Structure formats: structure tokens, C-alpha cells
Amino acid sequence: MPKMIDGIRRMLAGEVPPPPVAELIGFTVTEVEPGRAVVAFEAGLRHANPMGTVHGGILCDVADAAMGIAFVTTLQPDESFTTMSHMINFFRPVWEARLRFPAHVVNRSQNTGYVECDVTDPEGKLIAKAMSTCTVLRGDQAKTR
């Protein structure tokens, strides 16, 4: 099993702090296994756009985090990654709800990966679907990430 997942498991156990963006936006990692992660997010009024619904950029950011965590679990200790593309489709609005962001690696080659994330409400309804393409970094590129 790749060692990068160990750091995420330490975060889940409370041994290391979550990334600053998790605290800023208010999401938590709830599950992790190789190639898969689940993030929970309590959407509320502080995340609203001018129309009163949760801003799409917030959903996009949390989905990006979930997909990044899922992908990082596939990396070796000397590897890092960067997101090359990110896309999200929105299907229904959200005002206040505890949302789930299950993400999974669909395809992982030596140098790239394709990851998907469903955004669901408490009833399991699909709010949005995100996808990203990641590039694995090694050597000097990985050291600066």
C-alpha cells in the first residue's frame, strides 16, 4: 500500500491537523482508503451566493479537495501531484445541508489519473458531479509541491 495514505489516516485519527483550507471552508475528511476518499461538508448561510444558495465555487473547492485526497492515496512517498483540469456540473441548488463528497480514482496510469466526485445531499440526491485529471510529479517537481 502506498505510504501517502498513512498521513491522511493520521489526520483522521487527530494526530496531525487538517489542511488550513478545510478549516477555512469547513469540511472534514470522514473516510479514506486507496483510491477513495469521502469528505463531509456542512453547507450553511455563510457559504451563500447573492441568491441565497450555496456558492458553486465552494462546492467546486470541496470536490477538488475530495478528489485530491483520493488521488494522493495512490502516490508513493517520493511523488506529488498537480491538478491539470477540473470540471463540475451542477444539478440542483443547496441552501443548508450536510453534504457528502465521495471521490474515487477511475483510472491511474504511471503519470496521470482521472478522478470523479459525486456531491450528494442527506437523502442521497445528486447535487453535482465533478471530475479532474491529475499529473504525477517526481524528482525536483515533487520536492517543491
Side-chain angles (χ1 to χ4, degrees), residues 4-57:
M4 295 299 283
I5 195 171
D6 294 339
I8 297 167
R9 287 186 172 143
R10 290 180 60 221
M11 182 182 67
L12 284 173
E15 297 170 11
V16 296
V21 70
E23 292 184 28
L24 175 69
I25 295 174
F27 65 82
T28 57
V29 180
T30 59
E31 299 173 39
V32 67
E33 60 187 60
R36 186 177 171 279
V38 179
V39 169
F41 171 63
E42 192 71 41
L45 295 176
R46 70 185 183 125
H47 304 107
N49 63 25
M51 295 174 286
T53 60
V54 174
H55 191 282

